């Protein structure tokens, strides 16, 4: 199978849906500006500008170098379908790295939760993830754990 830990990181650091990442073409990636312009499903999510985080830049370059029809492509340079990728590669990769079997969409929740903990501007998070309203991001996608809540509470004097 494909070693796709890098793809999982790309999902987490872009906030893309699995279908969005798998349908990205090389033309969507502008390395000179460090921006991926892509997105589907909603008006707010369509053709949004998503910065390429420095942690995933090497992986984006690696996949671009494959020269496929899509950024993430099979060895023949063709697009993976979400179902095929999820069942043949994604779940196996999670198992290999010791992560519980969560659906690919959970990477969007991880993105939103990490962005919240890092105190990234809410408008930026909303635009990157492609939600029309930040309340969707905050109320559905952002998960905080008790360790984070304890750390925040300790800020009280």
């Amino acid at each position: 199978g494909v070693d796709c830990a890098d793809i999982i990181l790309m999902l987490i650091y872009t906030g893309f849906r699995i279908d969005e990442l798998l349908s990205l073409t090389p033309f969507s990636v502008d390395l000179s500006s460090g921006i991926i312009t892509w997105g589907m499903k909603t008006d707010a999510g369509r053709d949004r500008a998503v910065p390429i985080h420095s942690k995933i830049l090497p992986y984006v370059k690696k996949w671009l170098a494959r020269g496929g029809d899509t950024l993430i492509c099979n060895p023949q340079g063709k697009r993976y379908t979400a179902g095929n990728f999820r069942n043949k590669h994604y779940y196996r990769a999670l198992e290999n790295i010791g992560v519980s079997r969560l659906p690919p969409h959970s990477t969007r929740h991880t993105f939103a939760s990490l962005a919240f903990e890092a105190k990234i501007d809410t408008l930026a998070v909303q635009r990157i993830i492609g939600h029309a309203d930040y309340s969707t991001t905050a109320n559905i996608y952002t998960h905080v754990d008790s360790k984070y809540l304890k750390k925040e509470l300790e800020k009280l004097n």
Side-chain angles (χ1 to χ4, degrees):
V2 172
D3 174 23
C4 73
D6 54 348
I7 297 169
I8 294 169
L9 284 174
M10 290 167 71
L11 287 165
I12 291 170
Y13 278 86
T14 61
F16 280 131
R17 295 170 182 89
I18 187 71
D19 284 333
E20 291 174 326
L21 186 68
L22 293 177
S23 64
L24 270 175
T25 68
F27 303 107
S28 307
V29 180
D30 183 351
L31 290 177
S32 63
S33 68
I35 298 286
I36 297 171
T37 305
W38 200 247
M40 308 176 330
K41 192 174 175 191
T42 65
D43 286 340
R46 203 166 287 114
D47 294 327
R48 62 192 187 272
V50 176
I52 302 169
H53 191 285
S54 58
K55 285 189 178 176
I56 64 165
L57 182 59
Y59 307 126
V60 171
K61 288 179 176 178
K62 175 190 105 173
W63 284 97
L64 270 176
R66 293 183 95 171
D69 295 342
T70 53
L71 176 65
I72 307 299
C73 60
N74 66 24
Q76 293 75 40
K78 301 298 177 198
R79 183 188 194 278
Y80 284 107
T81 64
N84 177 282
F85 181 80
R86 181 185 309 108
N87 294 321
K88 287 192 174 178
H89 307 291
Y90 177 82
Y91 290 127
R92 187 176 307 147
L94 289 181
E95 188 178 308
N96 290 342
I97 60 177
V99 174
S100 57
R101 188 181 172 106
L102 297 168
H105 200 77
S106 64
T107 59
R108 284 172 56 83
H109 292 247
T110 301
F111 167 81
S113 298
L114 291 173
F116 173 79
E117 287 188 24
K119 295 179 177 41
I120 296 174
D121 180 73
T122 55
L123 180 61
V125 175
Q126 174 191 339
R127 295 283 166 82
I128 291 168
I129 207 165
H131 287 152
D133 190 326
Y134 183 71
S135 66
T136 302
T137 311
N139 297 330
I140 299 170
Y141 283 75
T142 304
H143 307 282
V144 294
D145 63 13
S146 57
K147 205 169 18 175
Y148 172 78
L149 295 174
K150 182 173 174 26
K151 183 184 88 179
E152 288 301 298
L153 184 61
E154 290 301 322
K155 290 179 179 178
L156 285 175
N157 288 326

